[in-house]
Structure formats: C-alpha cells, structure tokens
Amino acid sequence: MDCQSSSLSWQSSMNLSPSGFQFLPINYQALFLSQTNIKSFISCAQTCHSNSNCRIFDYDDQSLLCRLFEGNIITMGSIVASSSAQSRVGSKMYYAKQFINLSQSCLLCEGSRYMTCINNTCQCEIHTYFDGSICQSQKLLGDACMNSTECRSDLNYTCLPRQQCGPPSIQVGTVVAGNANGTSGNALTTLYTPFALTIGIDNSVYVCDFKNNRVLKFQEGSLTGSLVAGTGIAGAATNQLNGPTGIYIDTSFNIYVADSYNYRIMFWKKNSSYGVQVAGTGSAGNTLSSFGIVGGMFVDSQKNIYLCDTYNNRIMRFSPNITNATIVGGTGIAGSGIQQLNTPFSLYFDEVNSYLYVADTNNQRIQRYHVGVSINGTTVAGGNGQGSGSNQLNTPFGLCVSTINNDIYIADTGNNRVQRWSFGATYGVTIIGNGAIIRNDSTSVQGSMDIRLSINGSNLFVSEVTHNRIWRFQLI
C-alpha cells in the first residue's frame, strides 16, 4: 500500500496485517502518539503518513478508532488478535535510499518525511538514530545497544556498560546484608567473609558467614539476619559448623551446608537446631567417600548433591543414602584438558538439560558437562588465558545461569567485575563493576565470591567478601 502527498512529493510504503488484529506495544506510554475517530482505514493510514513520528497504526472499522504509534514493529511490540474482526495493523517500510542525504544540506531533505533539518543539515527525526542504513527507532529499556544514540534519551536512557539501554541509576546496587560501610562483625546485622549465598523461593537471602561459622537468613527487606545453621563458634558437633563455604536451600526451606573444615555436607531440616551429616567422612581425603575443601554445591530434585572438591580438581555427585560418590567432572588431577579441571570453585546444575556448569578457576574458564552423556567438558566462557579482555576471565569464583535465557553470570573476581555471557557468545559483557579499577562504592564490587539470581531473574545478588556485604543489582 502506498500513501502519497502531492504537495510535498513524498510517499510511504506500508505493510498491512490481515483483518482481526491490533498492535500491542511493549511500552504503551513511550510509543503511543495519538488516537482519533476517523471514517476509514485509508484515512487512518494517511494520518500516520502525515505524521513524521508515526511508524505504526491500527484501525477498527467497527469503532472507527485510529491509533498512531512510533517505534519498530518487530522489536517494540506484537501484532495480536483483536476482539474486533474488522481491526487491522499497518506499519511503514523504510529503505536506505530514503536517507542518502543524511548529514547534507537541508535543501536536499526539504519536505522529506524521513529526516528533519537540524543545524542546517539533514538529520534523523526525533526518537530515531542512524544505524548505517536507515533511521531506526531508538531503543527502550533493556534493549541491546552499542552507544547512547541508540537509546531514548527523553526517557533518561543511555547505553549502559552492560550494553543495554536504561537509566544510569540502574547500575547502582543496594546492600541487602552486612554493613553498608564494609566493616565486619558477628552481630546479626553484620557479616565476616560472606563466602557463599543462595536465594530461597520467598526471595530471602541465605549467607554462609564463613569466619563466623554460621548461616544467616535475611528476609526480603530486612538487614537483620536470623541464625538458621551453626552456633557462631567453630566446632564439629551436629549443631556447629567450621568454615561453611557452600549452601543450597530446597523448596521446603531445608538447608544443605558445605561444612568445609569438618569435611562434610550437613543437612539442616527447616527450623532444626542441629544438622545431619549426609556426605563426607569428617576427614580430608580424595577417595569416593571423602573430599577436601568444598568450593560450591548444588542439590537437584532427586536430592543428589553435586559439589566442587576444589583442591582435588573434581566434581562429585552423592546420591541419597549412598556413601560413595560418582565423579561427573574432572579427573582428580589438575590440568587444562577437556576432561580436566584446575581448582574448580563453583558450580550450577541445569537439571532440565542435565548441563553442569563449573567455574574452572585456575584455567580461567567456565566448563559445561552434559551429565550422563559425556565426561568431556565444553568451554562456554573464557578459556582465552588470564586477562581482562571481554573474552577473558581472571580467577572466576562464582557463577549462576538464567533459567529464562541460559545467560551465564560470572563473578570474575580477579577483574573486580561480574560478566554476563549470552548463550553461545564468544565474549562477555560487564554488568557490574569497573574492571581493574577498584572502588568502594555502590556501582562496583571488589573480591566478589558468589552470585545468585532471584527466583524471577530480575535481580542479581553478589557476595562481596572483601567488604563483608551482599549486594542486590537490578537486571533488565
């Protein structure tokens, strides 16, 4: 369909949907331009054609309602079924030849519906940017970007370091456990070397308070924790812990704790004052029933316990009530081969796909194992030597994986940053921290040890060991 204006000598080509559909924008307030009652679909199309900001419209022959929108119809909304069988959607089509006079004299774009005159040169219309071919609609919250011209500045969006459009304030984290000033302590409002954390289904934060030999639970919105495991005094009794380094909370709020210096995994039933040993011998070892320091752990729905036997360079799986473990990653000998690990410090198990992700710390990479299929690991992040490049890692300690899109979040500890590697990517994007520059503020991390996503994936929690606190950062 073509709409023409003889007085200005320009036209628009449009894509039209079948009848029975309407446009549903992802952000109505940001994209809606106007609406009016008008006599026909053609008149609605001409109204959009006459509005230089309009790129999308829909019209209902029953109500005679014509709605105009700006934006990209592919990325900023959907064409959905309408309650009216006589509703249709139209969108303008754009071609590179329409923008050949960009940045040239305004005399060459006078009367154009694609560009406007700014400082005596032809420029893209408001809320659009030049992508090298055409003037595209500027992007909204969370959209991928390379520079700030791509983002809606009128909404205070800029291209954040994480390469997404959003307000600068979203980079600022909130302390949800421990002293905001980073000092240590043993009160219920303080932490001392928070080694590991996890998130309950109620969004409570559970923290392995390593040097206080306890596990604290912080209800959402509270900075005062409650003691849920350990006594705060190191020991080997069933109610004590000695250097807890890993934690998992099941859906019934039962707690599994890696009690590292007691060389055991303890199971604390909800509200219990003591734990039960479910793995390990109580002594350091490298047999199938014993292990050394545990760097991280995970428990699947069948109550199988996966743990990083860090200094034995292997991943062990203990089945319920079975003394000996199965080795599901690593050989027990440090190395960089596809079957080897070198000081694995953290893991995450994607039970749906049987993928086990391991932070292979001293190999500067993240390995993925297909449990039950192959003992060979596949490098899915890093593996390009120790460094601070976007395709490198420096002593990665913690990791977690999004259940929504399989993005990998990595505590890139030696670089004082958190990296996000999209599924299948060959490089990561820094979403928290500023790399090698160390600062003690609310946009950076120093000595991050563990990270976890909230249940709905909207927030990322980071344990900052150096400053004895837990941060929450919003994701988009």
Side-chain angles (χ1 to χ4, degrees):
M1 174 182 180
D2 287 338
C3 292
Q4 297 186 356
S5 171
S6 58
S7 61
L8 293 179
S9 299
W10 44 263
Q11 64 182 22
S12 297
S13 296
M14 296 187 176
N15 281 321
L16 305 179
S17 78
S19 297
F21 292 89
Q22 66 183 47
F23 179 62
L24 180 65
I26 59 174
N27 185 329
Y28 190 91
Q29 184 175 2
L31 299 179
F32 175 73
L33 291 172
S34 65
Q35 66 180 38
T36 185
N37 288 324
I38 207 163
K39 62 182 180 180
S40 69
F41 180 83
I42 294 297
S43 296
C44 184
Q46 290 174 334
T47 302
C48 180
H49 161 76
S50 300
N51 186 326
S52 60
N53 293 323
C54 178
R55 295 195 167 204
I56 307 162
F57 69 94
D58 60 16
Y59 179 75
D60 181 10
D61 270 328
Q62 288 183 336
S63 65
L64 306 182
L65 183 65
C66 172
R67 301 190 304 167
L68 308 185
F69 300 90
E70 56 184 310
N72 186 321
I73 196 168
I74 297 175
T75 61
M76 296 183 181
S78 304
I79 298 176
V80 299
S82 171
S83 58
S84 171
Q86 299 181 49
S87 176
R88 298 180 73 185
V89 180
S91 61
K92 291 178 182 175
M93 301 169 62
Y94 294 88
Y95 306 95
K97 65 182 181 181
Q98 297 161 340
F99 302 93
I100 58 175
N101 294 322
L102 190 78
S103 299
Q104 298 188 46
S105 169
C106 287
L107 294 175
L108 298 176
C109 59
E110 184 177 356
S112 169
R113 66 103 46 244
Y114 309 110
M115 294 175 287
T116 188
C117 182
I118 300 176
N119 296 328
N120 298 316
T121 60
C122 301
Q123 300 294 331
C124 289
E125 290 281 356
I126 187 173
H127 300 167
T128 65
Y129 73 98
F130 188 63
D131 69 355
S133 177
I134 68 172
C135 289
Q136 289 277 15
S137 296
Q138 285 183 320
K139 300 174 181 180
L140 300 177
L141 182 67
D143 289 341
C145 59
M146 295 302 293
N147 61 72
S148 291
T149 62
E150 301 176 24
C151 305
R152 282 281 294 268
S153 59
D154 63 305
L155 300 177
N156 194 33
Y157 294 163
T158 186
C159 191
L160 302 170
R162 60 182 76 176
Q163 294 182 5
Q164 289 178 295
C165 293
S169 60
I170 211 165
Q171 290 290 115
V172 177
T174 301
V175 173
V176 296
N179 270 332
N181 64 12
T183 57
S184 63
N186 59 10
L188 293 177
T189 56
T190 58
L191 301 169
Y192 193 7
T193 313
F195 203 92
L197 77 152
T198 194
I199 310 299
I201 59 173
D202 61 349
N203 281 321
S204 292
V205 180
Y206 294 78
V207 183
C208 280
D209 194 10
F210 179 74
K211 289 188 177 179
N212 281 324
N213 302 292
R214 63 186 183 180
V215 174
L216 293 183
K217 173 185 177 181
F218 293 85
Q219 295 275 12
E220 187 174 17
S222 176
L223 289 172
T224 301
S226 58
L227 185 67
V228 293
T231 63
I233 299 174
T238 57
N239 68 335
Q240 292 180 302
L241 298 169
N242 189 356
T245 55
I247 186 171
Y248 184 86
I249 307 297
D250 67 20
T251 55
S252 298
F253 299 99
N254 301 311
I255 306 171
Y256 295 79
V257 183
D259 189 13
S260 275
Y261 291 148
N262 284 322
Y263 306 101
R264 63 188 183 183
I265 304 298
M266 298 294 285
F267 173 77
W268 294 65
K269 198 170 181 63
K270 180 184 177 183
N271 296 327
S272 178
S273 59
Y274 64 92
V276 176
Q277 184 172 317
V278 291
T281 62
S283 299
N286 59 7
T287 67
L288 291 179
S289 62
S290 63
F291 42 78
I293 299 298
V294 175
M297 61 181 295
F298 194 96
V299 182
D300 67 19
S301 62
Q302 303 303 310
K303 300 183 179 180
N304 295 305
I305 301 169
Y306 297 78
L307 61 85
C308 289
D309 187 10
T310 298
Y311 297 111
N312 285 321
N313 304 293
R314 60 185 183 174
I315 308 300
M316 308 177 77
R317 181 181 65 198
F318 286 89
S319 298
N321 303 313
I322 303 296
T323 301
N324 287 345
T326 300
I327 306 303
V328 294
T331 62
I333 299 174
S336 59
I338 60 174
Q339 294 183 2
Q340 293 178 299
L341 297 167
N342 190 349
T343 322
F345 249 99
S346 184
L347 57 80
Y348 177 88
F349 185 53
D350 170 7
E351 189 170 358
V352 173
N353 297 302
S354 294
Y355 283 147
L356 179 69
Y357 295 81
V358 180
D360 190 10
T361 302
N362 283 348
N363 280 325
Q364 320 299 335
R365 65 187 183 183
I366 305 300
Q367 294 292 91
R368 187 182 69 198
Y369 294 88
H370 200 174
V371 177
V373 176
S374 175
I375 60 173
N376 294 334
T378 300
T379 301
V380 292
N384 296 300
Q386 185 176 25
S388 59
S390 62
N391 68 338
Q392 294 178 302
L393 299 170
N394 183 356
T395 321
F397 274 117
L399 85 155
C400 59
V401 180
S402 169
T403 58
I404 299 172
N405 54 24
N406 294 314
D407 284 353
I408 306 170
Y409 293 85
I410 305 165
D412 190 12
T413 306
N415 283 322
N416 296 301
R417 65 186 184 183
V418 174
Q419 296 290 91
R420 180 184 63 213
W421 287 61
S422 298
F423 185 79
T426 57
Y427 66 93
V429 174
T430 301
I431 62 168
I432 300 168
N434 55 2
I437 301 173
I438 299 174
R439 295 199 313 256
N440 182 12
D441 64 23
S442 57
T443 63
S444 61
V445 290
Q446 183 181 354
S448 56
M449 182 62 69
D450 201 11
I451 54 177
R452 287 292 181 271
L453 287 162
S454 59
I455 298 302
N456 64 5
S458 63
N459 291 293
L460 186 69
F461 296 83
V462 181
S463 67
E464 191 180 17
V465 172
T466 305
H467 292 297
N468 305 294
R469 57 195 177 189
I470 308 297
W471 289 97
R472 182 185 66 217
F473 292 91
Q474 184 180 351
L475 300 178
I476 51 177

